[in-house]
């Protein structure tokens, strides 16, 4: 399937889902789905740099927070319509991604991961000390009382935006994967030096991949302030974003765009279910145990299983 | 040689070694256990620990129990044989030139107090002058310690200078076997292979 | 394309499975909330939960409310605000609860607000700081006794006490953690300093995970302030108190807004180090006479708390969690129905008699009159818990109607 | 901005004391991550575990937490051996350690955290020691024993580790093991065994560091997360695989933190520390004393 067909299909399905969801009377579906979709975007975005290119980003929370805080800033400063805020947050996080891309010039492997972690701490400190966006106190972002498109509640609008953004993230990820860019990135992942010798424009590709990855993560964060109504730094920079955006592609499989999607749907749903069924410390335990089990027993994630199964069937 | 050391699994045949009159079957043993018998390989491509100092590299050679007993004597011998190493004992191994590294590799192997020394391509990447030097050092070791040395070397002329016995291996098969220097150098096969005659 | 649909529908299916919880008959009266049972605020969250469970048992023993048994439906919000919207939507749409109350603290109350407001539910908040200032929701009520202007009410006692000192203090240092509560308390303190004409000579914040506080206190000491106001959370409160002791801080009043000394853990661990500190409390054994019937609750609570491994004293949050439920109980009984508008009306209009005293709500849902106690710890020896359960070590300095003694200033003289 | 002598002196001393503690929490990472290439992100969780062990023994028997932790460090050593065994069998043997190993340790981090929550609850715990409230004063400079005792034990431990690594055959094998495992085998050393023992040593240091932690500040199960950034920062800033570097890096971060706190505003301390780390990574990736 060509990328264009795929994109058309993805957006058609996304629109269909949006329309179909209007008949779901239950708001819990929307907020739970919102969370899972948010993780799909984060996992997909992380995978562009982490899975395709082999640079482990520990600072997903920072990109997410840049998206969220750009919305907070614009809300306070100009109060523009939602699409503008989404676009602005995506761009801002993309710029941060570009900066992180330059870090890849000098660092590889764990050093890069630690640099992104450090970057996240530095950004956190800046946000805490930036009073205009609420600083340590946090900021209140009120959901508008009027909801456009005849939707019943604002969460439905946020959910619909999330569905479309998820489709966009998947289309972008798949396009990168199947194009010459994806092959270049894979070459970098396998052996950066050899790739460079073979004429792969490694720097440009890395910058591109870091920028796109960062922008998508930021995009996932742009609607977060409206979802919560109240943002404070520790919520926006929560460790769970960094952990989940690594764990989900790992569980799903990192070689293709389908892996993070499956991982996010699986782990995200399990988290949602566990949260409302086993309400105690045990729910963190489940994430921990799942993580350990998957990396020990299914080293290539669920997609690894699927591929192995397919290969066996062909034979 | 990698088969002897247990690094590459054996496809067929037997490997045995007689150390101190006891015969050992080497097949299926881990490299570290083979080293424990006194059989030591000087690997191709040097394989030093680049971020350790010369001295640390040497001391690591003396890890096995029997080597620790003789550590002072062996260290003194290494520094005497390769005075350059004594000068640079605090330098990081990775920052030395190729020839120096080759000497360190050899010295490090000696620190293990070997009974049988296997040397894989000692001349790779070295200038002709250095090759002569290294080969001379190997001869000295052999004579001084009564070491058994098994050396694989492309540089035929240098190699046969010190060899008691020689085997010519072409494409993995032994094509010729000789017991002395003369026997080896006056041979059709050798001439054909090495001198293009 | 087929693959994509499959994955999406798999996701939707998984979600809908989660939604398909069994729907019970409308028999019990369900009260729903999220509570921090894990994460940084879990200590308080669990303590509050125990108090609410005790309330439910008490009510059910008396035959429930409106003839219906009370059932608490709660989920762990992990002290993570992002979990809150799903929890409250689930409570409303799947569990079909009749009433909502909040979890513990501002950052889990605020995310519940838009959902509560869309459904026009009456909403009781448990120790949220000025949450309603942005939402202006007329069915929001809050049980923490900080008054209609929480930042001001919170700090009032400290400044009233300070300004009564002779000679009048001139300078003040403000310090607090980079987090939501300390930021608000500092905001209040700044306003109070302005009002009382105190000169602010130090005004800085620190990251909550700071290990060593002595550099901060030395910097403060270098400005030689008459008063030091601290707004902190438990771990940094402990660090501050210890560092003040080690640095040998000299000032006339020290403390004000420290969270932590209210709990048994810090009371016993810091012990004599707390001597001389002026701080806020919501209850003290010295004024137990003003809290009739509270002792029977505390007796029940303390028995359970030890088993659950949470604060064994239960002076701080649990009585208020219980009182929050009492307010609901009394309103429902008076209204005779679960009509949210009528409940809210009733709560705005009438005064409630709870375990924490008489409560009346202001227009914005906060207490009409602030009643945060300002106390001074003194005469503490050793690290046993017993001394804290009896009167004599916690003098109440403000508000006037609760006052049990005079302040002993300066702070460092209390250290012998 | 003024810099009075007494404040500067105190800031230096406080920074050194803090740095000593940071060195203790990071030295294990310096071994496992710096020398063995095992990205043990769960290290802080074992530190917290150490805190709780020290706490229980202190509470039940009134023994000094630091002494307890030193005596009980063999337990942590054994725990480390077991953990490495699992790690080796699941990841190293299959040659896929980096990212999956990282996720594995993330999982271990959560599991340890939850285990602690289930056993001890979520409340903050502290210990009281004989020296907790003593402060020596030398002129204008304060030496709070609460920090001095951990500092001394920590520096002893770190220096001990360094001497052990550079002056024993085993220690040198640890230094070499990540560089060339095959060459090490040719010296008659079993690299897996070396790595296992060295990893166990790193976990043993975590146990001791845990006792320092609970002497210095109150501890709750999730506190470990706060230290993830710090331990890697110290290790990388000091230089990978160098124990002296770790000690130096810890002192640098400690002093940077105490100076920022004293003179500029404590709120900026993390930005300064991690800014230093970023700068180090960008301009001298091998760290201060990296080889």
């Amino acid at each position: 399937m060509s990328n264009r067909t795929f994109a058309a299909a993805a957006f058609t399905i996304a629109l269909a889902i949006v329309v179909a969801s209007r008949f779901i009377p239950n708001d819990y579906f929307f907020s739970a789905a919102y969370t899972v979709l948010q993780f799909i975007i984060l996992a997909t975005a992380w995978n562009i740099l982490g899975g395709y290119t082999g640079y482990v980003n520990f600072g997903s929370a920072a990109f997410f927070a840049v998206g969220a805080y750009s919305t907070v800033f614009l809300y306070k400063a100009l109060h523009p319509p939602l699409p503008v805020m989404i676009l602005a947050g995506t761009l801002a996080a993309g710029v941060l991604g570009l900066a992180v891309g330059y870090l890849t010039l000098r660092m590889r492997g764990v050093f890069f991961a630690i640099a992104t972690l450090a970057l996240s701490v530095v950004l956190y400190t800046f946000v805490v000390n930036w009073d205009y966006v609420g600083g340590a106190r946090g900021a209140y972002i009120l959901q508008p009382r009027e909801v456009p498109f005849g939707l019943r509640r604002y969460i439905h609008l946020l959910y619909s935006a999330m569905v479309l953004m998820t489709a966009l993230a998947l289309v972008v990820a798949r396009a990168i994967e199947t194009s010459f860019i994806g092959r270049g990135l894979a070459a970098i992942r396998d052996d950066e030096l050899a790739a460079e010798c073979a004429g792969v424009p490694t720097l440009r590709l890395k910058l591109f991949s870091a920028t796109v990855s960062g922008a998508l993560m930021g995009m996932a964060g742009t609607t977060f302030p409206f979802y919560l109504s109240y943002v404070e730094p520790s919520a926006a920079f929560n460790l769970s974003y960094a952990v989940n955006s690594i764990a989900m592609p790992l569980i799903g499989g990192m070689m293709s765009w389908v892996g993070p999607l499956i991982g996010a749907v699986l782990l995200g749903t399990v988290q949602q279910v566990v949260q409302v069924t086993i309400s105690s410390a045990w729910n963190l335990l489940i994430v921990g145990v799942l993580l350990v089990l998957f990396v020990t027993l299914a080293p290539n994630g669920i997609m690894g299983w699927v591929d192995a199964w397919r290969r066996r069937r062909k034979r | 040689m990698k088969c002897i050391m247990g690094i590459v699994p054996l496809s067929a045949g037997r490997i045995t070694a007689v150390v101190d009159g006891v015969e050992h079957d080497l097949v299926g043993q881990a490299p570290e256990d083979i080293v424990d018998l006194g059989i030591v390989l000087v690997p191709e491509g040097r394989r030093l620990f680049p971020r350790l100092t010369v001295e640390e590299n040497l001391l690591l050679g003396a890890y096995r129990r029997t080597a620790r007993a003789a550590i002072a004597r062996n260290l003194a011998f290494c520094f005497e044989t390769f005075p350059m190493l004594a000068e640079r004992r605090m330098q990081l191994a990775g920052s030395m030139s190729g020839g120096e590294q080759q000497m360190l590799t050899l010295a490090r192997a000696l620190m293990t107090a070997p009974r049988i020394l296997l040397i894989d391509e000692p001349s790779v990447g070295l200038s002709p002058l250095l090759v002569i030097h290294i080969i001379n050092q190997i001869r000295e070791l052999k004579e001084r310690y009564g070491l058994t040395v098994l050396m694989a070397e492309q540089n035929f002329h240098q190699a046969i200078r010190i060899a008691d016995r020689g085997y010519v291996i072409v494409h993995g098969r032994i094509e010729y076997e000789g017991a002395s220097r003369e026997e080896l150098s006056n041979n059709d096969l050798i001439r054909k292979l090495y001198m293009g005659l | 394309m087929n693959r994509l649909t499959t994955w999406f529908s798999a996701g939707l299916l998984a979600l809908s499975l989660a939604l398909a919880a069994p729907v019970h008959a409308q028999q019990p009266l369900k009260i729903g909330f999220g509570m921090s049972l894990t994460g940084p605020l879990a200590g308080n969250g669990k303590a509050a939960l125990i108090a609410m469970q005790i309330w439910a048992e008490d009510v059910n023993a008396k035959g429930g409310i409106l003839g219906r048994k009370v059932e608490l439906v709660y989920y762990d919000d992990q002290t993570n605000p992002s979990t809150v919207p799903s929890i409250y939507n689930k409570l409303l749409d799947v569990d079909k609860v009749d009433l909502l109350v909040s979890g513990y603290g501002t950052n889990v109350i605020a995310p519940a607000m838009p959902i509560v407001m869309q459904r026009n539910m009456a909403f009781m908040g448990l120790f949220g700081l000025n949450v309603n200032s942005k939402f202006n929701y007329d069915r929001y009520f809050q049980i923490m006794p900080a008054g209609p202007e929480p930042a001001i009410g919170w700090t009032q006692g400290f400044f009233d006490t300070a300004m009564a000192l002779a000679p009048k203090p001139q300078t003040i240092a403000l310090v607090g953690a980079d987090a939501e509560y300390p930021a608000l308390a500092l905001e209040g303190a700044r306003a109070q300093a302005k009002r009382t004409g105190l000169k602010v000579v130090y005004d800085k914040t620190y990251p909550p995970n700071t290990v060593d506080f002595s550099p901060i206190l030395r910097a403060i000491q270098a400005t030689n302030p008459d008063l030091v106001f601290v707004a902190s959370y438990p771990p940094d409160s402990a660090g501050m108190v210890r560092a003040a002791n080690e640095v040998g801080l000299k000032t006339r009043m020290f403390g004000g807004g420290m969270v932590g000394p209210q709990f048994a853990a810090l009371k016993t661990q810091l012990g004599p180090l707390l001597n001389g500190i002026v701080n806020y409390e919501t209850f003290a054994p010295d004024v137990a006479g003003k809290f009739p019937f509270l002792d029977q609750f505390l007796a029940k609570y303390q028995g359970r708390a030890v088993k659950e491994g949470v604060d064994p004293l239960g002076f701080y949050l649990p009585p208020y969690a219980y009182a929050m439920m009492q307010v609901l109980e009394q309103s429902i009984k008076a209204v005779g129905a679960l009509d949210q508008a009528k409940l809210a009306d009733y709560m705005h209009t009438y005064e409630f008699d709870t375990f924490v005293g008489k409560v009346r709500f202001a227009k914005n849902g906060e207490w009409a009159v602030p009643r945060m106690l300002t106390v001074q710890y003194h005469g503490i020896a050793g690290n046993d818990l017993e001394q804290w359960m009896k009167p004599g070590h916690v003098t109440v300095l403000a508000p006037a109607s609760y006052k049990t003694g005079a302040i002993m200033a300066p702070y460092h003289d209390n250290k012998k | 901005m003024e810099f009075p002598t007494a404040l500067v002196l105190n800031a230096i001393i406080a920074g050194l004391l803090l740095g000593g503690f940071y060195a203790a929490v990071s030295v294990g990472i310096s071994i496992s991550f710096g020398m063995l290439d095992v990205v043990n992100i769960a290290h802080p969780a074992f530190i917290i575990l150490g805190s709780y062990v020290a706490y229980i023994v202190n509470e039940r028997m009134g023994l000094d937490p630091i002494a307890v932790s030193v005596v009980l460090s063999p337990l942590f050593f054994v725990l480390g051996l077991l953990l490495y065994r699992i790690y080796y069998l699941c990841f190293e043997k299959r040659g896929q350690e980096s990212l999956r190993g990282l996720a594995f340790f993330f999982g271990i981090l959560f599991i340890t955290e939850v285990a602690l929550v289930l056993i001890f609850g979520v409340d903050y715990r502290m210990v009281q020691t004989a020296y907790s409230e003593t402060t020596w004063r030398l002129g204008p400079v304060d030496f709070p024993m609460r920090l001095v005792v951990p500092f001394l034990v920590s520096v002893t431990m770190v220096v001990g580790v360094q001497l052990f690594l550079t002056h024993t055959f085993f220690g040198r094998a640890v230094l070499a093991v990540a560089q060339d495992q095959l060459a090490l085998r040719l010296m008659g050393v079993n690299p897996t065994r070396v790595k296992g023992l060295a990893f166990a040593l790193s976990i043993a240091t975590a146990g001791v560091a845990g006792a320092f932690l609970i002497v210095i500040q109150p501890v709750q199960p999730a506190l470990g997360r706060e230290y993830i950034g710090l331990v890697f920062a110290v290790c990388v800033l000091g230089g990978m695989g160098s124990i002296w570097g770790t000690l130096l890096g810890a002192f640098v971060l400690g002093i940077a933190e105490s100076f920022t706190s004293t003179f500029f505003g404590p709120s900026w301390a993390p930005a300064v520390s991690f800014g230093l780390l970023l700068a180090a990574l960008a301009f001298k990736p091998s760290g201060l004393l990296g080889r």
Side-chain angles (χ1 to χ4, degrees), chain D residues 133-146:
Chain D
E133 288 161 30
T134 320
T135 304
W136 287 351
R137 277 180 229 289
L138 218 75
V141 187
D142 304 322
F143 291 90
M145 289 300 116
R146 175 171 66 98

Side-chain angles (χ1 to χ4, degrees), chain B residues 129-193:
Chain B
L129 221 68
L130 266 169
V131 173
I132 296 173
H133 182 65
I134 294 259
I135 295 286
N136 285 341
Q137 302 294 353
I138 293 173
R139 185 220 303 262
E140 195 182 335
L141 294 174
K142 179 176 80 114
E143 282 161 6
R144 202 154 150 181
Y145 283 92
L147 266 181
T148 307
V149 178
L150 177 63
M151 184 165 86
E153 179 53 64
Q154 300 269 1
N155 191 327
F156 174 75
H157 286 289
Q158 289 302 331
I160 58 163
R161 279 204 300 133
I162 61 169
D164 301 319
R165 247 185 289 174
Y167 303 86
V168 179
I169 302 177
V170 182
H171 299 306
R173 298 180 63 105
I174 296 178
E175 297 282 342
Y176 183 78
E177 190 179 332
S180 72
R181 189 174 163 179
E182 289 70 37
E183 220 175 294
L184 282 165
S185 34
N186 300 319
N187 176 288
D188 286 344
L189 184 71
I190 306 280
R191 271 194 214 114
K192 201 174 96 194
L193 283 174

Side-chain angles (χ1 to χ4, degrees), chain B residues 3-197:
Chain B
C3 287
I4 299 176
M5 294 311 296
I7 299 167
V8 177
L10 203 64
S11 49
R14 246 158 46 85
I15 304 173
T16 54
V18 181
V19 181
D20 295 332
V22 185
E23 189 173 311
H24 299 272
D25 184 7
L26 301 187
V27 179
Q29 296 227 46
E32 49 269 29
D33 298 328
I34 295 170
V35 173
D36 238 15
L37 296 174
I39 303 170
V40 174
L41 172 71
V42 180
E44 183 190 358
R46 299 184 194 118
R47 309 208 76 134
L48 291 169
F49 304 111
R51 279 172 288 126
L52 292 186
T53 63
V54 168
E55 187 171 22
E56 284 166 335
N57 266 284
L58 288 175
L59 290 175
L60 258 176
Y63 190 87
R64 70 188 197 99
R65 218 155 292 280
T66 36
R68 291 188 197 185
I71 188 164
R73 194 185 50 141
N74 285 344
L75 197 61
F77 173 74
C78 285
F79 284 154
E80 182 195 320
T81 331
F82 307 105
M84 173 276 308
L85 293 182
E87 286 162 32
R88 312 212 160 168
R89 57 198 294 173
M90 291 327 236
Q91 191 178 336
L92 291 187
S95 65
M96 298 197 306
S97 74
E100 290 164 345
Q101 289 194 11
Q102 187 64 57
M103 288 180 208
L104 180 55
T105 320
L106 199 55
R108 187 180 63 177
L110 290 177
M111 293 296 295
T112 58
R115 309 299 306 269
I116 301 171
L117 190 61
L118 315 177
I119 307 179
D120 202 354
E121 306 266 1
S123 71
V124 168
L126 298 184
S127 70
L129 221 68
L130 266 169
V131 173
I132 296 173
H133 182 65
I134 294 259
I135 295 286
N136 285 341
Q137 302 294 353
I138 293 173
R139 185 220 303 262
E140 195 182 335
L141 294 174
K142 179 176 80 114
E143 282 161 6
R144 202 154 150 181
Y145 283 92
L147 266 181
T148 307
V149 178
L150 177 63
M151 184 165 86
E153 179 53 64
Q154 300 269 1
N155 191 327
F156 174 75
H157 286 289
Q158 289 302 331
I160 58 163
R161 279 204 300 133
I162 61 169
D164 301 319
R165 247 185 289 174
Y167 303 86
V168 179
I169 302 177
V170 182
H171 299 306
R173 298 180 63 105
I174 296 178
E175 297 282 342
Y176 183 78
E177 190 179 332
S180 72
R181 189 174 163 179
E182 289 70 37
E183 220 175 294
L184 282 165
S185 34
N186 300 319
N187 176 288
D188 286 344
L189 184 71
I190 306 280
R191 271 194 214 114
K192 201 174 96 194
L193 283 174
Y194 284 93
M195 289 146 211
L197 295 171

Side-chain angles (χ1 to χ4, degrees), chain A residues 1 45 48 62 80 127 177 189 197 270:
Chain A
M1 188 166 27
I48 292 175
V127 170
E177 184 187 321
R189 177 186 62 212
C197 296
V270 167

Side-chain angles (χ1 to χ4, degrees), chain C residues 134-147:
Chain C
K134 296 292 189 310
F135 293 103
N136 293 315
Y137 180 48
D138 60 358
R139 295 179 187 180
Y140 169 83
F141 303 91
Q142 204 287 119
I143 197 67
M144 184 177 60

